[in-house]
Amino acid sequence: MLQDVIIHDGQYGDTMAVDESGTLLLNRQFCKRLLQSDPSGELVRGVFLHEAQHIMSKSFPRFDKLMGIKDLGLWNVATDYVMNRDLLNFGITLPEFGLLPRNENGRHIISFDADHVGSLQGKYSGTVELDITGLKAEDVYYEIRDKLQAANMPDQPPKPEAGEGEGEGEGEGQDEGDEGQGEGQGGENITETANGQGHKKVYQDALKDMN
């Protein structure tokens, strides 16, 4: 669960993130910009719930269980898309600059451009179009990874990276429910995160410290 909140001025990144210990790293200026564009605080709340979902869904240990080539940047993309899908389904407001699926007749479709993600530049290039309706983050990860590998290495089978399986231990930003539970478990986690008194108090205290 969420252990602590560190409000900083850029030492731990430009936006909002969580680390493996369950600490929320909150950039003061980033939150102020969100509050300026949306004084209601709904955008800040949406990003807070997104980051809390990384902890609730255990996205760090789930990364270690991925099969084949592991890429933390791609895993973060996959978890972001799935968690944002579920948050949007619950009516949560999210910033437009996030990795958001579009709704087409009730289906959740993504158009992911690897060239626009800094952590993937130099590794992958190209765009992936994918229907992620009902998919777990693991499924989205494998689909994106395999499609990008096929586009970038059409005549070569993928080769495992050195140190595969050891885990990365870096910060992430988002995901859905526990492994094997799919979209429904993600929804329960979002409800717990939004309504849990502990998380609500942390969120309210963090907003007070913005000033």
Side-chain angles (χ1 to χ4, degrees), residues 99-117:
L99 293 174
L100 307 178
R102 63 183 185 274
N103 191 312
E104 295 186 359
N105 299 317
R107 310 297 297 181
H108 302 284
I109 311 298
I110 67 171
S111 295
F112 172 64
D113 188 348
D115 296 302
H116 290 169
V117 178

Side-chain angles (χ1 to χ4, degrees), residues 78-93:
T79 56
D80 278 3
Y81 270 125
V82 172
M83 288 192 304
N84 287 341
R85 174 199 68 195
D86 294 343
L87 287 167
L88 291 171
N89 282 344
F90 271 80
I92 303 299
T93 303

Side-chain angles (χ1 to χ4, degrees), residues 20-185:
E20 197 167 359
S21 71
T23 298
L24 177 67
L25 306 170
L26 195 156
N27 183 295
R28 188 190 313 272
Q29 297 305 316
F30 170 72
C31 291
K32 284 185 176 181
R33 289 194 298 271
L34 289 182
L35 287 170
Q36 287 172 355
S37 62
D38 176 26
S40 72
E42 287 301 305
L43 286 178
V44 176
R45 176 173 176 264
V47 179
F48 173 86
L49 290 174
H50 173 94
E51 298 303 333
Q53 276 293 97
H54 275 293
I55 301 169
M56 298 291 291
S57 64
K58 303 177 182 178
S59 61
F60 284 102
R62 288 168 63 195
F63 171 75
D64 293 333
K65 297 178 181 179
L66 292 175
M67 302 294 291
I69 296 176
K70 298 180 183 179
D71 188 302
L72 187 59
L74 276 182
W75 174 242
N76 199 42
V77 167
T79 56
D80 278 3
Y81 270 125
V82 172
M83 288 192 304
N84 287 341
R85 174 199 68 195
D86 294 343
L87 287 167
L88 291 171
N89 282 344
F90 271 80
I92 303 299
T93 303
L94 295 169
E96 294 183 357
F97 55 76
L99 293 174
L100 307 178
R102 63 183 185 274
N103 191 312
E104 295 186 359
N105 299 317
R107 310 297 297 181
H108 302 284
I109 311 298
I110 67 171
S111 295
F112 172 64
D113 188 348
D115 296 302
H116 290 169
V117 178
S119 63
L120 301 181
Q121 290 178 0
K123 291 183 179 181
Y124 303 101
S125 180
T127 301
V128 172
E129 189 90 358
L130 183 64
D131 184 346
I132 67 168
T133 306
L135 296 183
K136 298 182 297 180
E138 286 82 355
D139 300 325
V140 176
Y141 172 83
Y142 295 136
E143 288 281 353
I144 294 177
R145 183 196 64 185
D146 293 348
K147 289 178 183 296
L148 288 176
Q149 286 176 347
N152 288 272
M153 298 182 293
D155 300 320
Q156 302 178 30
K159 297 180 180 180
E161 296 177 349
E164 178 186 336
E166 296 177 357
E168 300 290 342
E170 298 179 18
E172 293 190 27
Q174 318 169 42
D175 185 36
E176 35 78 84
D178 286 344
E179 183 178 7
Q181 297 301 310
E183 191 167 353
Q185 182 65 43

